Amino acid sequence: MVQPLNYLKETPSQTAGPYVHIGLAPGAAGFDIYERELGWDIAGPNAEGERIRVEGLVIDGTGSPIKDVLLEAWQANAKGIYAHPEGGGEVEEGFRGWGRVITDFDTGEWGFDTIKPGKTPGRNGRIQAPHINLWVVARGINLGLNTRIYFEDEAEANAEDPVMNIIEWERRRATLLAKRSEKDGKVVYRFDIQLQGQDETVFFDV
Amino acid sequence: MPDQGEFYQRDRDWHPPAYVKEYKTSVARSPQYALISLQNSVGEITGPVFGHNDIDPMDRDLIHNYATAGESAIGERIILHGRVLDENARPVPNTLVEIWQANAGGRYRHKKDTYLAPIDPNFGGCGRTITDENGYYYFRTVKPGAYPWRNYVNSWRPAHIHVSVFGSGFVQRLISQIYFEGDPLIPLCPIVKSIPNQEAINSLVAALDMNSTIPLDTIAYKFDIVLRGRRSTLFENRLEGN
């Protein structure tokens, strides 16, 4: 026998289950318990940049929207800085860059208000197009799914983006593009997530 | 944190696969295409930072955090405690740990749960805390009951507490379930068995911890959580990939 490596093994994942709201969004489960629920405000009032709303559905392999999903967003500010000691600098006061939303129990729609992130540094000096990192958990999902929201109106930056470009199938890159529209004077990006089958969203092993 | 690089690759043979036919909901909710592997950049290595201003000290006491003053939740009083470590066995300090669970009768306080076991008026079922500088956490709660669910006609979840952990980087984000030593429902459960490796399953079972029991008051279970470790160097210079 060779020497043991002695690394610990990561705690294995399990599904978040249908009642994930109890722990992570108790107000939605039907009771108020915490003075401050976390994750409702991604950017805060002081954040610079374009105010946007991102919304969509999560659709299963039968084409049905799922209504018990929890999504978490992690993004940089308009200057491309993450709110973290290793995030590349200082961010505006109150800018957390992290958000948590759930799908509506009746319609399956989810959405969050934030600011459009800036370009961020990629590996080896390359630049990444503006994007929001997204983590998706739900009943029936055994290990959280990671994807990225890019913006269709950043065509030039998207074409140069190192992550977009490692997706061999160009057709699949389009599944990561949020579609821009305006609703009541507000900029809205539509990002539907297809879990399985035709036009399946690209998910990453990060 | 200087000289810390990428996270170790996740061992996806250790975790449950997306598609597990015996856990029926996973059938239509599992991607069919392969995941695209991505080397870490700044958005993967960083993650949200939480402080003690975000939560209240009482949030970790499920016996009392939803109880009327002077009352407490009904059930077997337990302490659930342990450490959050990374794969290098280093503590993960100041990280948010959130839990949720059914009450002692297996009933969730959720508008979608219609199981006939009653709600406990003094039990909410969620708690949260931030690990200390040594990665240590604890909760006080009641042991949850087993719970029937529509998978097979006669499927029962073992007693379990759901747990959500952050770590320092967003790619360490993890949700799992904590089971209890000796529960005969554990080997029968399709969700447990979504994990292919028995050793991995065992690592989700909290051990009875008599040393941490408070005599005449509360029994204790110990559960350590392990998050992905990090390489000790920053990005290599290899000009390839992403």
Side-chain angles (χ1 to χ4, degrees):
Chain A
M1 280 288 277
V2 299
Q3 291 188 6
L5 285 169
N6 287 331
Y7 291 112
L8 301 179
K9 290 298 284 183
E10 189 186 8
T11 297
S13 174
Q14 292 269 264
T15 178
Y19 306 127
V20 60
H21 321 91
I22 294 176
L24 306 187
F31 64 112
D32 286 319
I33 182 164
Y34 296 141
E35 214 161 288
R36 296 172 292 277
E37 278 199 21
L38 297 169
W40 297 114
D41 191 7
I42 300 178
N46 303 320
E48 292 163 21
E50 184 182 23
R51 296 270 157 186
I52 62 169
R53 180 169 178 78
V54 184
E55 58 187 29
L57 290 170
V58 182
I59 299 159
D60 72 13
T62 75
S64 316
I66 357 184
K67 299 167 181 175
D68 50 14
V69 187
L70 182 126
L71 305 100
E72 288 185 359
W74 174 239
Q75 67 164 88
N77 72 2
K79 293 198 170 80
I81 299 167
Y82 284 92
H84 183 275
E86 297 173 80
E90 293 288 310
V91 295
E92 301 91 331
E93 195 198 338
F95 180 87
R96 179 163 257 162
W98 172 78
R100 176 184 271 175
V101 293
I102 57 164
T103 50
D104 185 272
F105 290 148
D106 298 319
T107 65
E109 290 278 348
W110 57 271
F112 54 82
D113 296 303
T114 184
I115 56 102
K116 194 169 174 186
K119 294 175 183 169
T120 52
R123 299 170 63 86
N124 305 314
R126 299 182 67 175
I127 304 294
Q128 301 189 86
H131 65 276
I132 297 173
N133 304 290
L134 202 65
W135 187 67
V136 183
V137 295
R139 175 170 69 106
I141 295 178
N142 291 321
L143 174 58
L145 296 168
N146 291 91
T147 187
R148 287 182 169 200
I149 302 170
Y150 286 86
F151 303 92
E152 66 164 2
D153 54 327
E154 298 283 345
E156 207 173 308
N158 292 339
E160 300 282 304
D161 182 79
V163 169
M164 274 287 188
N165 280 300
I166 58 163
I167 303 168
E168 183 185 341
W169 310 274
E170 285 183 41
R171 245 189 119 245
R172 298 204 66 205
R173 295 177 195 167
T175 68
L176 301 183
L177 295 179
K179 296 184 177 42
R180 183 178 174 117
S181 66
E182 284 195 25
K183 205 158 47 183
D184 309 324
K186 208 170 174 184
V187 177
V188 178
Y189 284 96
R190 181 81 194 176
F191 189 76
D192 289 333
I193 298 167
Q194 202 79 48
L195 285 183
Q196 184 189 81
Q198 184 76 21
D199 295 321
E200 184 176 298
T201 299
V202 168
F203 298 105
F204 295 106
D205 182 12
V206 281
Chain B
M1 273 197 265
D3 301 316
Q4 293 253 305
E6 295 171 71
F7 287 95
Y8 298 148
Q9 183 179 307
R10 200 161 239 173
D11 180 353
R12 288 178 182 267
D13 294 328
W14 179 259
H15 287 282
Y19 170 76
V20 178
K21 75 175 191 310
E22 295 81 5
Y23 173 29
K24 295 180 180 178
T25 315
S26 78
V27 172
R29 295 185 175 193
S30 42
Q32 288 171 338
Y33 293 111
L35 303 178
I36 306 282
S37 293
L38 211 61
Q39 290 177 278
N40 291 176
S41 60
V42 61
E44 283 75 45
I45 279 172
T46 56
V49 177
F50 301 97
H52 292 279
N53 291 337
D54 288 316
I55 64 172
D56 296 312
M58 265 296 280
D59 291 350
R60 66 158 74 114
D61 183 356
L62 286 73
I63 293 180
H64 297 108
N65 69 5
Y66 199 69
T68 309
E71 304 280 317
S72 60
I74 289 172
E76 186 178 339
R77 295 159 58 86
I78 64 166
I79 290 165
L80 175 69
H81 76 127
R83 293 175 76 199
V84 181
L85 304 166
D86 70 11
E87 290 170 290
N88 299 312
R90 295 193 189 107
V92 182
N94 307 314
T95 202
L96 181 65
V97 181
E98 298 163 288
I99 63 169
W100 68 100
Q101 63 169 97
N103 70 21
R107 174 72 185 267
Y108 284 98
R109 185 178 286 277
H110 190 291
K111 52 177 134 180
K112 297 283 182 190
D113 187 3
T114 54
Y115 181 36
L116 49 78
I119 288 283
D120 176 348
N122 291 305
F123 185 71
C126 61
R128 55 190 186 177
T129 189
I130 290 177
T131 57
D132 72 11
E133 64 277 14
N134 300 312
Y136 181 77
Y137 77 91
Y138 75 87
F139 292 97
R140 185 186 282 251
T141 184
V142 295
K143 193 172 171 187
Y147 169 80
W149 59 301
R150 290 180 185 277
N151 192 64
Y152 302 129
V153 168
N154 190 18
S155 291
W156 292 78
R157 295 302 324 283
H160 64 280
I161 294 178
H162 297 265
V163 63
S164 164
V165 205
F166 279 81
S168 59
F170 198 53
V171 298
Q172 286 178 300
R173 194 77 184 80
L174 184 72
I175 281 181
S176 193
Q177 301 185 26
I178 301 167
Y179 304 100
F180 293 90
E181 181 177 354
D183 187 339
L185 287 168
I186 293 172
L188 305 181
C189 176
I191 290 178
V192 173
K193 288 194 290 188
S194 69
I195 299 171
N197 182 307
Q198 185 58 45
E199 206 186 322
I201 291 173
N202 295 347
S203 75
L204 291 184
V205 182
L208 175 66
D209 178 5
M210 289 304 287
N211 288 350
S212 298
T213 288
I214 305 171
L216 307 178
D217 186 317
T218 311
I219 204 161
Y221 284 87
K222 184 165 180 288
F223 188 81
D224 286 342
I225 298 161
V226 180
L227 302 180
R228 292 167 70 179
R230 286 178 78 170
R231 297 186 205 288
S232 54
T233 52
L234 213 57
F235 309 132
E236 312 96 77
N237 295 317
R238 220 168 135 242
L239 295 167
E240 198 191 306
N242 55 68

